[in-house]
Amino acid sequence: MPSVFILKTLIRRRESFLSENAELLVITGMSGAGRSTAGKVLEDLGWYLVDNLPPALISSLVDLVSKTAPEVGHLAVAVDVRGRSFFSALNQALVELAERGIGHRLLFLDAEDSSLVRRFESVRRPHPLQGDGTILDGIHRERERVATIRESADVIVDTSTLNIHQLATRIVDLFSEEGEARHTVTVMSFGFKYGLPTDVDLVADMRFLPNPFWIPELKGHTGEEEPVRDFVLAQDGALEFIDAYALALRPVLEGYQ
């Protein structure tokens, strides 16, 4: 089966509980389907993630965040069968959120049985519900428990054929504010005689341009001041280089995404 995601109601009625643009996302699904990866990606996107919270406490968590951390605009709660008997309260917890008018979305991560078995075997860990049986026995027990939750999910992502990078991109596409993966680009200047910065990814050697340090009237200025900027950008090839370098970065950034 090809990887698919089903958007039943991507934008549900959202009544703010923290601020005008606040969101609550409940993450659940099959064990081994990528919940940890999804959680890490959401944290990178600025979501506040609470993992393995008993479902009965979700409503209380919302109240706590609204009172003590109103700056939190994106709250994600991950729950699954690791919560044992607590997990059975998830349906009621979702009903309570709806009754209180707390807008939320439910993300369900799924995968084919064969894919889940391979993943558990690769890390040599038992399924949470395996008991004395096989991994497949645990998967079947879990599917019975989550069947009604899956039916009520707003977003279902099938990760059967997705690697962790593809799943990360899918989560970003669905839950980032821009709707696509974001990059943080830092442009900095340094002196080659001091060595390369330790966290540099790409280096552009600009020493083909005259060094303003050797211009007497500019020597006392920094590169953040207009006289130095104007001098550098006025040199032959400076603007052409910048335009060409920015153009060359387009496929690079797409590949990073």
Side-chain angles (χ1 to χ4, degrees):
M1 178 187 298
S3 62
V4 297
F5 67 96
I6 303 172
L7 302 180
K8 294 180 62 178
T9 313
L10 183 56
I11 305 299
R12 176 183 289 181
R13 179 174 62 94
R14 290 162 53 186
E15 297 184 15
S16 172
F17 64 94
L18 300 176
S19 64
E20 183 178 353
N21 297 315
E23 290 188 82
L24 171 63
L25 176 67
V26 180
I27 310 168
T28 189
M30 295 295 295
S31 300
R35 179 196 48 75
S36 296
T37 297
K40 292 176 182 177
V41 174
L42 288 168
E43 287 185 314
D44 290 343
L45 291 174
W47 289 69
Y48 182 80
L49 174 68
V50 179
D51 191 18
N52 201 22
L53 181 75
L57 297 180
I58 295 178
S59 185
S60 297
L61 175 65
V62 171
D63 293 336
L64 177 64
V65 172
S66 65
K67 293 178 181 178
T68 63
E71 73 280 3
V72 174
H74 297 80
L75 175 63
V77 179
V79 296
D80 54 45
V81 294
R82 291 176 301 160
R84 303 184 181 183
S85 58
F86 291 120
F87 182 73
S88 60
L90 180 55
N91 270 320
Q92 180 57 40
L94 296 176
V95 170
E96 182 179 350
L97 291 175
E99 291 177 345
R100 293 186 56 189
I102 299 177
H104 62 279
R105 286 186 283 174
L106 177 61
L107 167 64
F108 190 97
L109 297 168
D110 203 352
E112 296 177 350
D113 290 358
S114 56
S115 297
L116 296 175
V117 170
R118 285 195 301 270
R119 292 171 188 176
F120 276 105
E121 289 180 339
S122 67
V123 296
R124 298 184 179 181
R125 295 190 62 186
H127 187 281
L129 301 182
Q130 181 175 338
D132 295 330
T134 65
I135 293 175
L136 198 56
D137 291 333
I139 293 173
H140 290 166
R141 294 187 185 108
E142 184 175 22
R143 287 208 183 278
E144 293 177 357
R145 293 193 183 186
V146 303
T148 57
I149 296 296
R150 190 182 191 281
E151 291 176 357
S152 61
D154 297 297
V155 185
I156 300 176
V157 178
D158 188 326
T159 69
S160 300
T161 60
L162 301 180
N163 60 38
I164 58 174
H165 305 294
Q166 292 168 329
L167 173 57
T169 298
R170 180 64 55 79
I171 296 300
V172 170
D173 289 341
L174 288 171
F175 298 106
S176 69
E177 293 180 357
E178 289 81 4
E180 59 182 14
R182 295 179 292 174
H183 301 289
T184 299
V185 179
T186 301
V187 181
M188 65 180 299
S189 176
F190 67 94
F192 274 92
K193 68 178 180 180
Y194 302 112
L196 296 179
T198 56
D199 57 350
V200 66
D201 294 304
L202 300 171
V203 176
D205 189 343
M206 305 301 296
R207 290 177 293 179
F208 68 91
L209 296 174
N211 190 342
F213 179 80
W214 301 114
I215 307 300
E217 58 270 27
L218 297 178
K219 187 172 183 178
H221 296 276
T222 72
E224 296 180 342
E225 298 180 56
E226 288 189 14
V228 176
R229 182 199 64 186
D230 294 342
F231 172 81
V232 172
L233 295 181
Q235 303 304 310
D236 291 339
L239 294 178
E240 290 83 356
F241 177 86
I242 293 174
D243 291 340
Y245 194 74
L247 183 63
L249 282 178
R250 289 184 180 179
V252 174
L253 295 178
E254 291 176 0
Y256 286 164
Q257 177 173 325

